[in-house]
Amino acid sequence: KDGSKREVRFLTKPHMYVFNSSLSSTFQCHLEFEHTSRSPGSGFSIHIHTMDFNGPRDKCSSDWIQFGKDFLFVTTEKSKRFCGKIEPLVSIKKDQLPSGFEPDPYKDRRNYRETAAEMDLWIKISPGREKKLVLIVTPHVSCTKQSKQYRACPNSPECVPNDLFCDGKVNCISNNLDEDSRFCTNLEPGGIVESSLGIPLMIIICVVVVIFIVFSFFVVKEGIKRLQTFSREPSPGRGQLRTHVDTRVANRTVDGQNRGVIGLREEFRDRLVDEDRPQNPPPYSEVIKDQPPPKYSEIEKIDTSV
């Protein structure tokens, strides 16, 4: 805010700077951008996405941004000042895919390119009404070597990272074609997004997944319900055991004929009932057959007199 210089180091990703506020005092900022690559052709591409400053633009006395570079502690170059109003680009859609932008009435003052590995940015915003500023600063390298990480901007010698194509932000300021689906690696023909079956296929997959989740939920719920019912039932007694035995042997064949469920059930029921009852005592003749009792006359008389 005090206007002192601060260094900002760039790797490969762009930076976005957004200001959207009203001020009670003057805001001043000085940033120095440093590129990690020192190879020839490395530099920065600046795209003014939105600007709503005081005008008119030919004076730029109260609100403005400016670019330049220095050598040691001496500023050796400065650009013209950018101010006034710049509206966002209007995207064109073709088959629901980005296909460039409508003609830009602010083309002559929307972009700035620096071909050095260092550059400076000055911002001044005066107090008053709400002001807006959106800047996109993209580091680029020269396309002198083949690289899987970088890709050439269409019709330009500059290269930017592959994932910046069709990311919703302009990074190739020569022609803004990095936001055209014809140059997007992630929207190539045959991909699921461009395919005529892409969206219906995704809907079908989502429906199948939802049905599977609902079905699994009811299966688990029914299993838990049956398990709880089984745990509350008493342990099987003899009557229940007879029923299971009847079921297992209901269709067995006896003497070559199928006796049926009812006949076998009655047979086993009578058999098991008989086994449950206490047995009758043996006949008297079976008890004394091995050793008959002595004759009454042979038993010694016992004197019962006192």
Side-chain angles (χ1 to χ4, degrees), residues 235-253:
S235 58
R238 282 189 171 275
Q240 294 173 327
L241 180 60
R242 285 198 298 272
T243 302
H244 293 306
V245 172
D246 293 343
T247 303
R248 290 196 301 270
V249 301
N251 294 324
R252 289 184 180 177
T253 302

